[in-house]
Amino acid sequence: GIPRSPTPVRLRRLADAAASRRESRMASLRNAVKRVTHKERAQPASRAKLGLLEKHKDYVERAQDFHRKVKRINNLRKKAAEKNPDEFYFGMVNAKTKNGVHVEERRDGSEKLTHSEVSLMKSQDLSYLHMKRAVDEKKAGRLQDQLHLLTENPMNKHTIFLDGKYTSLPPPPPPQ
């Protein structure tokens, strides 16, 4: 007969036979055979009105999400059942419920201040900023004064007092 070209199934059988004979040397041939990829089917045309067909990985994701939610609800139920009615936290002093919804009162006191108190606080803030600015400017001036010997051509002259008289000398040359 006519020699047939090997099909993937035949190649697979040949590879398995060779592997059983020489397990250590021919194991890589098994990986060289092209394998059939099994694709998930699409939604049949008659059921297209129902939307996309849920694939297995979609189902797994949906199931995990559902079980996470069930666990969370069960944990909350367990916490509510085991709650100690005598337990007290200072946060409970300002906490209230309106129509079953938890509402906490504001504690910053902004609604209790009058207009004059607010303007006083603003003026105090402004005076504090002016004071801080003056302190920073003074500090910058002191630092600037320390830098006068670092320039190549100093702006000032050194005055040396000798026997009650003073003479003005040119500044020393910059270090080399």
Side-chain angles (χ1 to χ4, degrees):
I2 301 170
R4 295 183 301 182
S5 62
T7 62
V9 174
R10 242 183 111 170
L11 277 175
R12 183 79 175 155
R13 283 190 197 136
L14 288 171
D16 288 343
S20 65
R21 276 183 264 130
R22 287 176 253 123
E23 188 67 37
S24 63
R25 285 191 288 162
M26 300 300 277
S28 62
L29 183 62
R30 191 178 313 155
N31 296 330
V33 175
K34 184 95 172 163
R35 292 188 181 99
V36 178
T37 57
H38 297 284
K39 297 176 183 164
E40 295 190 48
R41 64 189 183 92
Q43 182 78 293
S46 61
R47 296 176 53 86
K49 63 182 176 284
L50 299 173
L52 291 172
L53 180 66
E54 185 180 46
K55 307 294 186 231
H56 178 71
K57 65 179 183 179
D58 300 330
Y59 162 75
V60 168
E61 189 178 329
R62 187 172 55 84
Q64 285 174 347
D65 183 49
F66 173 75
H67 289 300
R68 260 195 308 267
K69 289 175 182 173
V70 167
K71 273 186 193 172
R72 186 179 295 156
I73 289 172
N74 286 339
N75 284 340
L76 289 172
R77 278 198 186 114
K78 186 177 172 185
K79 263 189 188 177
E82 295 174 355
K83 182 181 173 288
N84 181 1
D86 298 330
E87 202 166 350
F88 175 77
Y89 297 103
F90 283 102
M92 295 176 178
V93 174
N94 295 318
K96 292 185 175 34
T97 55
K98 286 185 181 176
N99 299 328
V101 177
H102 180 266
V103 178
E104 193 162 337
E105 288 181 4
R106 290 183 61 174
R107 299 192 63 197
D108 58 2
S110 62
E111 61 271 359
K112 297 173 186 165
L113 296 175
T114 63
H115 181 69
S116 60
E117 290 172 330
V118 171
S119 61
L120 175 67
M121 288 172 70
K122 283 183 181 178
S123 67
Q124 286 174 345
D125 290 346
L126 198 60
S127 62
Y128 173 76
L129 290 175
H130 285 305
M131 185 268 299
K132 279 307 251 182
R133 182 174 175 227
V135 167
D136 289 343
E137 282 178 353
K138 200 172 197 178
K139 188 176 182 180
R142 267 191 259 119
L143 290 172
Q144 192 72 31
D145 289 343
Q146 291 176 358
L147 296 176
H148 75 281
L149 288 175
L150 298 179
T151 60
E152 285 189 30
N153 299 324
M155 300 298 290
N156 60 347
K157 296 182 178 180
H158 295 275
T159 304
I160 299 173
F161 293 91
L162 301 169
D163 298 330
K165 298 178 184 177
Y166 66 92
T167 58
S168 182
L169 298 174
Q176 305 249 352

